[in-house]
Amino acid sequence: KAVVSTQSTGGVSIFDVSHMLQLLIHGADRISFMESLIVADVAGLAPNTGTLSLLTTDQGGIIDDCIVHNTTDGYLNLVCNAGCADKDLAHIMARLEAAKSSGMDVDVEIKPNHSLIAVQGPMMEKVLQSGVKDDLSVLFFNHTALLDVWGIPCRVTRCGYTGEDGVEISVPSDRTVELVEKLMAASDDVKLAGLGARDSLRLEAGLCLYGNDIDETTTPVEGTLMWTVAKRRRAARDFPGGEEVMRRFKAKEGRRRVGLIVEKAPARPHYPILNTAGDVVGEVTSGSPSPCTGKNIAMGYVDLEYTKNGTPLQVQVRKKIFPATKVAMPFVPTQYYVEKK
Amino acid sequence: SWDVSSGINAEYGYYTKSHEWVNVTGSTGRVGITDHAQAALGDIVYVDLPDVDAEFDVGEEVSSVESVKAVGDVALPVSGIVKAVNEELSDTPTLVNQSAEGDGWICEIELSDPSELEDLLDKAAYDEFLDTDTE
C-alpha cells in the first residue's frame, strides 16, 4: 500500500534514512579532492545543484553510489549508503590524508548531529510548502537549499530513491520527531513508510541497490552506469580506475545490468538467468513483485548479446523455469521535478 | 466430498507446528497452510504447486508460498502421493490470504501411512500452540 500511495494516488511517504552517511567536504581544494574520488563533473555543478555519482577503486570497481551537492555554503555535501559507511569513511579519510600531505587545502567531517528524512510522493511540494516560506516550485530536481522548515533549520535537497518527486531533509537530530510530526499533521495523506516499500519503489524506478546490483566487482560499464561518468571525466580518465573503465567501455565485452519482467513468479537475487536454449547467461541481482505495474520486475546481469529490449530470456525460480523479457528501465515512469529549459 | 466453503472440518483437521494443515477423509487428505501462516507472510504473490503423481515423505517440501517479502516452505504433514493441485492458485495466489483453510488449499494427497496422523495436532492443540508460541 505504501508503494501505490507514494506513486499514483498522490500520497506522501516519509522514510527515515538517518542511517546513511552524511559528509561535509571543506576547503579551497574540495572540488579537485572530490573529483579524485568520484566520477562526476563536480567542477561543472551549478551552485546548489548535485548529482548521483560513484566512488570507484583503482581498478574501476564501484565502492559505493552516492549523492554529491555543490553548496554555496562553503562545502560539498556527500551522502553515502549506510551499509558502506565504514568502508567509505576509511577510503575517503585515507585519500584525505594523502591529499593533505601533498598540500591540498581540504577537510572532511561527518555532518554532526543531523538525521535524514526522505519525503517522497506527488503531494510532497504541497505538504512541505505549508511549512516553508521559500518558494519550493523553484527547488528543482537535484537542487539543494538551507531552509527553515516549520522553524527548524534544515538542508532540503530535491532528490530521492523512489523515482517520485520528493526531497531528502537533513534535520538536526534533536528536532527530527518534531519535523515528522509537523509533516504528518500537514495532511492525512502523509504516512510513514518502511524500507520494504522503499525497496519496491527504487526497483520500479530502476535504481540500483549497492551490494545487490552493483559492488566492487562491477565497474560503471557493467553496471550500465556510464551516464554518471561525465564527458569531461571520460576524456581525462582522471578518476580512480579511469583507464580500465574506458578500456572496458570501448571493448564492448562482458555482462551488463538489465531490467527484466518475469512471468508467474518473482525473481530474487542469485536466481539464474537463462537464454531460450536453457544456457545460463546471467544472474538476478534484485527482484520483487511491482505493486504499480502488477508484474514481477527484476534487475540482473546478462551477457552483452542479450541486452536488446524485448530479448526473450528465462529465469530459474527454485526448481522451475519461467519466461522473462529484457525491458528498458525504469519500469514505472519517473516523476522527477526537472527544470524545463 | 469436500465442502470447501465451510473450511476445515474440525473433526478431521490436523495441524503441524510449522502451520500446515491436512484435512482427511479416509485415505485422502487436502493440504494447505493455516490462516496464521498467511497472515505472517503477507500478500501472497506466487504458489509453487507440486506435480500430480509426485510422492513425498512426511516433512518434505511439497510446495512453497511466496509473498512480497518472504518465501514460506510448505512441508507435507504426512507422507503421500499428490492426486490434485489447486489450479486456481496459479491465477489467484491471494486465495491463500483470503481463505487459507478453505478455498486456498494447495493440493490433495493419497496418504501413504495414515498412522502418521497421530503425530499431528488437532485444532485445539494447534490453537493452544499459537498462544504459547513466542515466534
Side-chain angles (χ1 to χ4, degrees):
Chain A
K1 272 180 232 159
V3 177
V4 176
S5 134
T6 309
Q7 293 192 340
S8 52
T9 59
V12 178
S13 292
I14 298 177
F15 304 90
D16 177 7
V17 290
S18 301
H19 48 301
M20 298 188 77
L21 179 64
Q22 300 180 69
L23 296 177
L24 308 179
I25 298 94
H26 305 277
D29 297 321
R30 62 187 180 278
I31 288 181
S32 50
F33 175 69
M34 189 90 285
E35 289 200 352
S36 74
L37 298 174
I38 64 178
V39 299
D41 178 7
V42 184
L45 287 172
N48 295 318
T49 70
T51 185
L52 173 72
S53 194
L54 306 173
L55 288 145
T56 51
T57 67
D58 292 333
Q59 292 72 43
I62 300 171
I63 297 174
D64 199 4
D65 56 353
C66 57
I67 307 244
V68 63
H69 276 82
N70 179 23
T71 78
T72 52
D73 304 289
Y75 55 84
L76 296 170
N77 200 82
L78 189 69
V79 180
C80 302
N81 283 305
C84 299
D86 291 344
K87 176 177 72 160
D88 292 353
L89 256 181
H91 170 70
I92 293 170
M93 290 313 189
R95 297 284 165 124
L96 176 68
E97 221 183 292
K100 281 181 171 178
S101 302
S102 74
M104 284 181 98
D105 174 19
V106 59
D107 221 332
V108 178
E109 60 166 336
I110 299 176
K111 185 171 183 180
N113 309 316
H114 274 71
S115 303
L116 195 64
I117 296 292
V119 185
Q120 303 279 310
M123 272 184 55
M124 175 282 298
E125 187 180 306
K126 183 159 179 243
V127 164
L128 191 59
Q129 191 68 82
S130 65
V132 169
K133 287 198 185 74
D134 312 73
D135 179 9
L136 291 174
S137 73
V138 296
L139 185 73
F140 296 105
F141 177 60
N142 264 333
H143 288 217
T144 187
L146 291 175
L147 304 174
D148 279 346
V149 184
W150 281 285
I152 308 167
C154 296
R155 171 168 292 286
V156 179
T157 305
R158 200 148 190 165
C159 68
Y161 192 51
T162 62
E164 284 302 304
D165 185 19
V167 292
E168 293 193 343
I169 305 178
S170 180
V171 52
S173 296
D174 58 358
R175 301 187 74 178
T176 310
V177 172
E178 184 189 337
L179 171 63
V180 173
E181 284 177 344
K182 285 286 199 296
L183 283 162
M184 294 188 67
S187 164
D188 284 341
D189 290 318
V190 180
K191 304 220 157 74
L192 294 172
L195 296 180
R198 189 169 164 81
D199 190 53
S200 292
L201 284 161
R202 69 92 191 167
L203 187 57
E204 287 178 330
L207 300 170
C208 292
L209 174 61
Y210 189 84
N212 280 35
D213 310 304
I214 48 177
D215 60 26
E216 291 195 13
T217 70
T218 58
T219 73
V221 177
E222 293 81 23
T224 316
L225 290 168
M226 280 305 288
W227 64 268
T228 65
V229 185
K231 201 167 163 194
R232 173 174 66 80
R233 309 301 309 280
R234 292 184 197 191
R237 301 164 188 237
D238 60 352
F239 54 92
E243 291 289 342
E244 176 60 12
V245 168
M246 294 313 295
R247 186 197 70 75
R248 291 192 192 200
F249 185 51
K250 296 193 158 92
K252 297 204 191 315
E253 63 195 13
R255 287 185 170 177
R256 296 289 184 274
R257 182 180 61 92
V258 297
L260 299 172
I261 293 193
V262 185
E263 307 283 325
K264 283 279 166 203
R268 304 288 187 182
H270 308 302
Y271 287 5
I273 300 173
L274 318 174
N275 61 16
T276 49
D279 311 308
V280 175
V281 299
E283 188 176 280
V284 176
T285 54
S286 283
S288 166
S290 157
C292 295
T293 63
K295 301 190 155 96
N296 295 312
I297 61 177
M299 264 188 217
Y301 282 76
V302 292
D303 293 335
L304 197 49
E305 63 191 283
Y306 299 101
T307 56
K308 229 175 122 182
N309 285 339
T311 301
L313 291 161
Q314 306 184 87
V315 174
Q316 185 178 332
V317 178
R318 297 188 290 284
K319 292 181 196 135
K320 298 201 166 129
I321 293 176
F322 294 105
T325 311
K326 191 271 176 180
V327 298
M329 293 185 282
F331 300 95
V332 175
T334 56
Q335 305 294 329
Y336 303 133
Y337 187 67
V338 178
E339 184 170 12
K340 290 178 184 70
K341 293 202 171 137
Chain B
S1 58
W2 301 105
D3 177 11
V4 195
S5 57
S6 68
I8 291 179
N9 182 333
E11 209 174 316
Y12 301 106
Y14 301 88
Y15 296 77
T16 68
K17 286 187 179 177
S18 46
H19 313 290
E20 296 95 1
W21 55 266
V22 57
N23 200 352
V24 180
T25 304
S27 63
T28 315
R30 178 172 278 194
V31 175
I33 65 170
T34 65
D35 191 58
H36 172 91
Q38 72 76 19
L41 282 168
D43 294 337
I44 287 161
V45 297
Y46 175 67
V47 179
D48 209 347
L49 295 170
D51 294 326
V52 171
D53 293 332
E55 194 168 351
F56 295 91
D57 285 333
V58 56
E60 232 186 303
E61 184 190 318
V62 66
S63 166
S64 60
V65 176
E66 183 161 5
S67 69
V68 179
K69 56 182 181 181
V71 182
D73 294 333
V74 181
L76 205 55
V78 290
S79 309
I81 301 172
V82 178
K83 289 289 143 196
V85 297
N86 187 354
E87 299 285 1
E88 294 261 14
L89 298 184
S90 283
D91 291 323
T92 317
T94 51
L95 259 181
V96 179
N97 295 116
Q98 294 157 32
S99 179
E101 302 185 19
D103 290 341
W105 61 275
I106 294 174
C107 63
E108 284 170 1
I109 58 169
E110 186 72 32
L111 273 67
S112 322
D113 183 0
S115 72
E116 288 169 343
L117 293 170
E118 291 158 31
D119 299 326
L120 301 178
L121 307 170
D122 64 14
K123 176 122 177 74
Y126 176 68
D127 286 344
E128 198 190 318
F129 166 69
L130 283 183
D131 282 339
T132 56
D133 187 23
T134 51
E135 238 184 24

